[in-house]
Amino acid sequence: MTYRISLQPGDHDFSAEADQTVLEAALAADLLLPHSCRDGACGACKGRVLQGRVDYGKHSEGALSAAEREAGYALFCCAKPLSDLVVEARNVTRAGDIPVRKLPCRVQKLTRLAPDVMLLDLKLPASEDFRFRAGQYIDILLADGQRRSFSIANAPHDASHLELHVRQIDGGRFTGQVFGTMKEKDILRFEGPLGSFWLREDSSRPIVMVAGGTGFAPIKGMVEHAIHAGLQRPITLYWGARDRAGLYLDELARSWEAALPGLRYIPVLSEAKPEDAWDGRRGLVHQAVLDDFADLAGHEVYVCGAPAMVDAARASFCTDRGLAEDSFFADAFTFATPAG
Ligand SMILES: Cc1cc2nc3c(=O)[nH]c(=O)nc-3n(C[C@H](O)[C@H](O)[C@H](O)COP(=O)(O)OP(=O)(O)OC[C@H]3O[C@@H](n4cnc5c(N)ncnc54)[C@H](O)[C@@H]3O)c2cc1C
Ligand code: FES
């Protein structure tokens, strides 16, 4: 069975099979709806169903509450059409000429950046022209078909390799492998580039970037791209971590202030240890932004890190500081739903 789906605003039209999610069908039609985890966990793909019926699919209650379903919202990464649909989705762009591909890659180098953070440097096949936008992510494909998402930490002009910043998860299957048995020259498979978290270059608005922990990875890709492209817009970059070790590329981030004149870097620690001898900002990283900006209207904000931080940032920046919802871009580091 094939259904028609219309997007509002913008008047885009595409078709979907009954077993396709709204997001899958939109991507197949070259329309990039906002999304991140594609797993019903983060809420980035949430939008309203204005007409028609959907099967809501499997998702977490945190990403879409019963009240939101009642109010007509759905998660387009798991909702499948049960009739023709008219749906409301903002920030829709054309996917353009960057294809999503499945490729092999070789582990080129493993570098410990912090006790629980590994830089995984992946060499891409020389014969393949892999392209991505600064800030996007890839899915590592595990042998049994499961996937693990990681943001690309380098900029697209340097696309012969991919840099990932992997935080070790207690009992984590893939990150356990990265910190345990993985060695140079190992072969992995991945799919990418994925997600709609990338630096928008078609605007002149000042930018605020907020990274929590390894949420620094895509932000690094964006800043390195901004330096390469000579971006003139003011950027205020906040990087939050528990302690000094968590700011695992602090020197690099400090060096960006000289490389990009409009950039200001503000590290923030929430649980600085006495031995950190920290005389910088303290507290929660999104709170530091609230303390510094009485008004975020007219800004563009990029946030990446733990889901709770992303949620707190979205709610307070949009509700208390006047940031437009469609100027808030985020990747929440949710984790893969267990198989079965
Ligand atoms: C779009 C996107 C981009 C991401 N980018 C990055 C990145 O650049 N760097 C990075 O370090 N992580 C990133 N993540 C998070 C990362 O995908 C997960 O931490 C990863 O899947 C863990 O895999 P694993 O096999 O080691 O753990 P699993 O075997 O999947 O999990 C083991 C146990 O730990 C829990 N768990 C797993 N991950 C987390 C977590 N992040 N926090 C708390 N508990 C967890 C699980 O529920 C499970 O109980 C990203 C996630 C998304 C959705
Ligand atoms: S909940 Fe749909 S992309 Fe995350």
Side-chain angles (χ1 to χ4, degrees), residues 8-338:
Q8 297 292 338
D11 265 345
H12 299 291
D13 239 30
F14 57 99
S15 59
E17 299 303 323
D19 62 351
Q20 267 184 318
T21 65
V22 174
L23 176 63
E24 283 166 350
L27 292 175
D30 190 40
L31 288 165
L32 253 175
L33 302 191
H35 68 281
S36 179
C37 69
R38 300 191 305 165
D39 201 24
C42 74
C45 63
K46 197 181 310 179
R48 272 170 64 203
V49 179
L50 302 174
Q51 277 174 36
R53 290 176 306 115
V54 294
D55 169 354
Y56 289 90
K58 203 174 129 205
H59 62 80
S60 85
E61 176 68 15
L64 182 73
S65 64
E68 287 172 315
R69 279 167 63 150
E70 278 298 302
Y73 287 88
L75 297 175
F76 295 142
C77 73
C78 24
K80 294 179 179 165
L82 295 171
S83 68
D84 288 347
L85 300 176
V86 178
V87 301
E88 183 183 63
R90 301 200 172 266
N91 267 330
V92 178
T93 47
R94 284 271 163 205
D97 57 354
I98 300 189
V100 176
R101 308 166 68 194
K102 285 187 182 157
L103 289 174
C105 58
R106 187 188 297 274
V107 176
Q108 186 159 248
K109 205 162 180 359
L110 289 153
T111 310
R112 186 76 75 127
L113 296 174
D116 63 347
V117 181
M118 189 78 85
L119 189 159
L120 182 54
D121 190 22
L122 303 173
K123 177 92 185 132
L124 297 172
S127 55
E128 302 289 348
D129 174 28
F130 180 74
R131 284 173 296 148
F132 60 94
R133 294 180 169 99
Q136 285 190 291
Y137 75 95
I138 59 168
D139 270 357
I140 299 284
L141 306 174
L142 306 185
D144 61 358
Q146 284 195 42
R147 297 160 167 263
R148 298 293 187 265
S149 306
F150 291 92
S151 305
I152 305 171
N154 51 311
H157 64 272
D158 177 22
S160 62
H161 72 126
L162 295 179
E163 174 184 328
L164 310 181
H165 298 172
V166 178
R167 182 167 76 90
Q168 185 169 22
I169 299 296
D170 275 348
R173 177 175 163 193
F174 177 71
T175 63
Q177 185 189 336
V178 171
F179 280 78
T181 53
M182 188 173 284
K183 50 190 189 328
E184 288 166 19
K185 296 202 172 62
D186 280 0
I187 301 288
L188 301 174
R189 280 183 62 74
F190 72 94
E191 183 176 34
L194 299 168
S196 54
F197 186 62
W198 70 73
L199 187 62
R200 269 52 180 184
E201 292 176 70
D202 55 353
S203 124
S204 54
R205 287 176 290 196
I207 297 171
V208 175
M209 294 178 170
V210 187
T214 47
F216 180 71
I219 298 287
K220 172 176 176 292
M222 289 182 186
V223 172
E224 290 183 342
H225 174 68
I227 293 169
H228 180 75
L231 202 82
Q232 300 286 326
R233 296 156 65 186
I235 300 179
T236 313
L237 162 61
Y238 293 81
W239 186 8
R242 270 203 278 277
D243 54 22
R244 206 165 195 147
L247 301 173
Y248 53 83
L249 285 173
D250 187 47
E251 281 305 311
L252 174 73
R254 286 178 195 274
S255 76
W256 289 337
E257 291 193 325
L260 197 61
L263 185 139
R264 202 155 61 95
Y265 167 56
I266 302 170
V268 184
L269 295 187
S270 60
E271 294 171 29
K273 298 179 179 144
E275 59 269 32
D276 288 335
W278 183 248
D279 58 4
R281 300 281 291 270
R282 290 172 185 262
L284 296 177
V285 66
H286 79 282
Q287 186 59 49
V289 179
L290 294 172
D291 293 344
D292 292 353
F293 286 84
D295 187 0
L296 284 168
H299 286 72
E300 211 163 80
V301 177
Y302 295 85
V303 180
C304 188
M309 187 275 277
V310 173
D311 289 348
R314 179 185 279 113
S316 53
F317 296 176
C318 295
T319 310
D320 304 335
R321 293 294 183 270
L323 179 70
E325 283 270 356
D326 60 5
S327 295
F328 182 90
F329 303 96
D331 253 356
F333 283 2
T334 53
F335 34 92
T337 309

